[in-house]
Amino acid sequence: MTKIVFMGSPQYAEIILRELYEKFGVVGVITQPDRRVGRGGSIQPPPVKNFAMKMGIPVLQPTKLATEDVDTILSEWDPDVIIVAAYGNILKSKILEYPRFGCVNVHASYLPRWRGASPIQAAILNGDKTTGITIIKMDEGIDTGDIIKQKEVEVSKLETAGSLTKKLAVIGAKILVDILPRYIKGEIILEKQLSNNATYAGMIKKQDGLLDFLRRAEELERRIRAYNPWPICYFNWNGKYMKVYSVRVLKTHHLKPAQRGIIEKYPCIGTKTYDLQLKKIQMPGKQKIDGNEFLNGARGWAEKNGERINN
């Protein structure tokens, strides 16, 4: 029986781990340490850890991979292959070369487009009509390994990072369990990536969610979808950060860039191109609500002559 170790952390990885475990079993899981999240700062484990503990799979949560503890545990688990999905750190040659059949990564893009840490968000931000899943044999580069299998996936016009993550994880999991036995048997011819066509998606920071209404409405709408569920886009109104979960681009241009108004009973903000209608928003300490409901208690949203928003 092939001994498999899994490395991953977020929900995307958990969906893949679940399918992998059900089909082949997993001898051990390496995931990120528990971290403080939210305003309350409560310590939360990664989704991968939750599933592994529930199934009784041994779990290792190193702060660094280059430690004796990791070496000892890997020697005990003695994996034939390591499956990686959104682990959160670059793997060095020592780990890449440890298993007989190497490390296999389930990457959430159609490589070589969108190598790096945030391929799902990048696809939405840039208005890509398609993205994909690419399964590669890892090398020391950032998502530069040889391709084992690829599948193109459509990006819908209403896709958020959350919905696209789930879609790609399910597709990636199915492809992985289908090709893994043939990969282990050496029945698949690997394909080199064309690095001259590569694009990169960097790390996302919380401040990347700040909305600049001097930009085009279409670009802002994509940003809001790309950064949902994290970090969630926001802007400053009355000294407080209003989070924006969904918007609609109107084919009107009544408002100047960053000017507030009310159109069709919803709060709106002007941009470089069209008016942006705020459909779902949240104020600090409040529940997420529809934009028209927000107007019921929002004094001063639309002044007589409008007002610019200072970010």
Side-chain angles (χ1 to χ4, degrees), residues 16 48 59 74 103 110 129 135 197 274 295:
I16 294 168
V48 160
V59 175
L74 278 179
C103 295
Y110 200 83
K129 293 182 179 179
I135 298 179
N197 296 327
Y274 299 112
L295 287 177

Side-chain angles (χ1 to χ4, degrees), residues 107-108 114-125 143 200-204 227:
H107 184 76
W114 302 132
R115 294 172 175 172
S118 58
I120 293 172
Q121 292 84 351
I124 297 174
L125 275 172
D143 303 318
Y200 290 86
M203 293 287 291
I204 297 171
Y227 292 159

Side-chain angles (χ1 to χ4, degrees), residues 49-149:
K49 179 184 178 181
N50 287 334
F51 176 78
M53 297 294 286
K54 184 179 179 181
M55 296 296 108
I57 307 170
V59 175
L60 182 64
Q61 293 179 276
T63 55
K64 294 182 180 180
L65 289 173
T67 65
E68 290 186 8
D69 288 344
V70 174
D71 292 341
T72 300
I73 294 296
L74 278 179
S75 65
E76 292 176 0
W77 290 345
D78 192 26
D80 296 306
V81 64
I82 296 176
I83 305 299
V84 182
Y87 173 65
N89 285 104
I90 296 174
L91 306 190
K92 300 298 183 182
S93 59
K94 188 173 184 178
I95 290 180
L96 293 173
E97 296 169 1
Y98 192 96
R100 258 197 314 159
F101 301 106
C103 295
V104 172
N105 183 26
V106 186
H107 184 76
S109 81
Y110 200 83
L111 290 172
R113 186 163 176 80
W114 302 132
R115 294 172 175 172
S118 58
I120 293 172
Q121 292 84 351
I124 297 174
L125 275 172
N126 286 271
D128 293 358
K129 293 182 179 179
T130 61
T131 183
I133 281 289
T134 306
I135 298 179
I136 61 173
K137 183 176 182 182
M138 298 176 69
D139 58 23
E140 289 193 73
I142 299 175
D143 303 318
T144 55
D146 294 347
I147 297 170
I148 300 171
K149 184 75 174 180

Side-chain angles (χ1 to χ4, degrees), residues 246 266-267 278-281 288-295:
S246 66
Y266 273 85
L278 308 185
K279 302 292 288 186
K280 190 77 70 174
I281 59 179
K288 185 167 42 174
I289 58 173
D290 284 341
N292 57 356
E293 184 180 349
F294 160 77
L295 287 177

Side-chain angles (χ1 to χ4, degrees), residues 36-43:
R36 296 188 181 276
V37 298
R39 294 174 65 87
S42 61
I43 297 176

Side-chain angles (χ1 to χ4, degrees), residues 121 124-127 208 210-227 233 247 249 271-274 276:
Q121 292 84 351
I124 297 174
L125 275 172
N126 286 271
D208 292 334
L210 181 62
L211 295 171
D212 178 1
F213 295 105
L214 299 179
R215 294 180 178 272
R216 299 172 61 86
E218 303 88 340
E219 178 185 342
L220 294 171
E221 189 272 341
R222 292 196 303 267
R223 179 173 290 266
I224 288 162
R225 289 189 289 111
Y227 292 159
C233 286
V247 295
V249 177
T271 72
K272 183 179 180 180
T273 52
Y274 299 112
L276 204 61

